[in-house]
Structure formats: structure tokens, C-alpha cells
Amino acid sequence: MEERKMGAYGTGICISRQNALRGRSIRINDCTLREGEQTSDVAFSLHDKERIAAVLDEAGVDRIQIAIGNSSQEEIRSLIARMRRAKAEVLIIGFSADWKKQIDVAIECGFHCLNIAYRTSPYLLKIMNVSEEEALATSVGAVEYAKKRGAETVIFSPTDATRSNWRFLKKIYARTVDAGADEVYVLDTVGVASPVAMHRLVRKVKGVVKKPIGVHTHNDYGLGLANSLAALEAGAETVDTCVNGLGDRVGNPALAEVVT
């Protein structure tokens, strides 16, 4: 009897999840070529990167995030050339002094999507000795500059969103969308959220902005996959993944697990 009850309960969860996602288009943004290489002891050769880009594209991934870092423009163009279907995305570090140069290089290399990240939690703002007003001004300025440079898609990602003050988070989402952001992200940068908290936050963001929402989670407490699914069920349209669960610290949700 107990086994039958548990089976029925599990089936109910599956049906609920199917209903939440039925008829919706979910974008997969794979970050193996950017965050995956932040994994301890992982370093890809150019041949590795080209092969990874080609296979991800062939598999049907919607976007592939590539790091600029120390890569030459020739190397980046070579990677983008391997993509027949997927869009090439780059993460712009908005809290770096050279954010304008990063955007210029990204445009020159032919990136389709520019994902602009700026730290928003009180913990990280304190470390940088930056006020909320300064963070807001730079974030808005970076989005406006990327749009002015002709970026096809501009995304705004508030780093450490799950530990950010909702009052400030709501303001920076609204202002960056007004500045031209085509999509916004909910980032669980240090992997501290629970699925319930992630679901609730995505619903709150959907009430503030009328743009697509992406989600980026980490596995510090083993909840990356669960948090990504909760975000999708709450209405997020894009989910970040890494092949085999690679990623900074203990990794990001694995591409195969998220898709399955």
C-alpha cells in the first residue's frame, strides 16, 4: 500500500511538471565554453573548443556562451563559424572597468547575444565599494551602449540575484529593460536558493518585466537542476547548462539532465 501511494504521488509530480511546460518553447543556453572552463583543472585547446561548439550546435542547443578572456578575435570567430543553428553569446562583465571595450570586441567578433552582468547583492556591492546608484547607472549605461553598437540581443544579468534586496532588484530590472534589454536573468550565483525560493523569485520578476526570463544556477548545495526546473515551471524561458555538470566551484546543471 505504501509503495502504491508513493508511486501515485510521483506520477502526480510528473504530470504537473508536464502541464507547466506543455506548449512552451524553452531555450537551452550552454555555457561549457565559458563557465565550464572555470572548473578546476579544466582547460580546453582550440581544437577542443571547436569540437564542443560544433557538437552542441548539431545537438540543437539554442545558444552557446563563449568566453572572450584571453582568446584572440580569430579564435572566437573560428568558434562562431562552427555554429550553423545556435546563436553565439558572450558574458560582458559590467562591473569591470573595461566593459565598453568588452562590448566593442564582442560586436567586432560577431556575437549575436551580449549578456551584461553586474553585481547586485549587498554583499558583493560592499566588497566592490560600489553604491546601488552606481551599480544601476553602469548597468543601464552598458545596456544602452550595447544596443547603440547594434547588438542583436542584449541580456541583463544581476549577479547574485537570489541574495539581492528585492527593492533594488526590482528597480534595476525595470530600468535595464527600459534601456533596451531584450531578456533578463535570475542568477543563483553562489547556489544558495531552494526550489521554492527560486520559483517565487521568478514569479516576482515576471510581475515586474514583460521580457523573457533566463535562469543560471549552481550546484553548491546540489540543487542546481531542481532550481532550474522550478524556474522553468514558474515561467522562465531560458536555462543555462554545462556539459557533464562542469562549471565554477562545484558546477552548473548538466545539459543532458536538464534537457531530459
Side-chain angles (χ1 to χ4, degrees):
M1 177 67 72
E2 186 63 24
E3 289 181 0
R4 287 199 295 273
K5 285 182 179 179
M6 290 176 67
Y9 181 65
T11 301
I13 292 175
C14 292
I15 291 173
S16 174
R17 176 162 295 151
Q18 290 169 0
N19 289 339
L21 302 179
R22 179 174 291 126
R24 291 174 48 202
S25 177
I26 305 298
R27 285 183 296 271
I28 303 298
N29 180 35
D30 191 84
C31 303
T32 305
L33 291 178
R34 196 275 301 176
E35 179 131 26
E37 203 169 26
Q38 292 176 219
T39 310
S40 179
D41 296 329
V42 171
F44 300 128
S45 67
L46 176 57
H47 175 74
D48 293 334
K49 294 177 183 178
E50 290 175 340
R51 181 60 177 153
I52 291 169
V55 171
L56 288 173
D57 182 78
E58 184 180 353
V61 167
D62 300 279
R63 295 200 303 239
I64 300 173
Q65 193 178 89
I66 304 171
I68 291 181
N70 295 321
S71 302
S72 68
Q73 292 192 28
E74 290 74 19
E75 177 177 318
I76 293 170
R77 291 193 184 98
S78 175
L79 294 177
I80 294 176
R82 297 298 191 278
M83 304 178 199
R84 307 301 181 191
R85 177 184 179 277
K87 300 289 187 180
E89 179 185 300
V90 63
L91 186 67
I92 304 296
I93 310 301
F95 47 88
S96 176
D98 68 345
W99 61 263
K100 277 191 176 181
K101 181 180 179 182
Q102 293 179 52
I103 292 175
D104 290 337
V105 171
I107 294 296
E108 291 165 8
C109 287
F111 280 99
H112 303 95
C113 307
L114 273 60
N115 190 330
I116 298 169
Y118 202 101
R119 293 169 173 171
T120 55
S121 73
Y123 312 101
L124 297 185
L125 290 177
K126 183 177 181 180
I127 290 173
M128 297 190 301
N129 194 28
V130 170
S131 68
E132 289 184 351
E133 291 71 23
E134 291 173 308
L136 179 62
T138 303
S139 298
V140 169
V143 170
E144 290 176 339
Y145 185 71
K147 295 297 288 187
K148 182 180 178 181
R149 286 301 318 269
E152 181 179 314
T153 301
V154 176
I155 303 163
F156 177 68
S157 293
T159 305
D160 206 14
T162 52
R163 295 196 301 168
S164 297
N165 181 294
W166 173 244
R167 172 191 53 77
F168 177 54
L169 201 57
K170 179 170 63 173
K171 180 188 291 186
I172 202 166
Y173 275 131
R175 289 286 300 279
T176 51
V177 167
D178 287 345
D182 302 291
E183 182 176 349
V184 299
Y185 257 68
V186 174
L187 279 73
D188 188 26
T189 305
V190 291
V192 297
S194 70
V196 171
M198 180 62 76
H199 190 283
R200 183 179 298 136
L201 181 55
V202 170
R203 295 300 300 173
K204 290 174 74 173
V205 176
K206 286 188 73 68
V208 172
V209 300
K210 305 306 177 185
K211 296 288 184 180
I213 295 174
V215 61
H216 181 94
T217 66
H218 280 264
N219 273 318
D220 296 69
Y221 289 93
L223 293 172
L225 175 61
N227 284 335
S228 291
L229 292 177
L232 293 174
E233 290 164 10
E237 291 91 350
T238 305
V239 58
D240 284 6
T241 65
C242 277
V243 172
N244 292 338
L246 295 176
D248 197 15
R249 301 187 309 280
V250 296
N252 300 100
L255 170 64
E257 293 177 353
V258 172
V259 172
T260 304

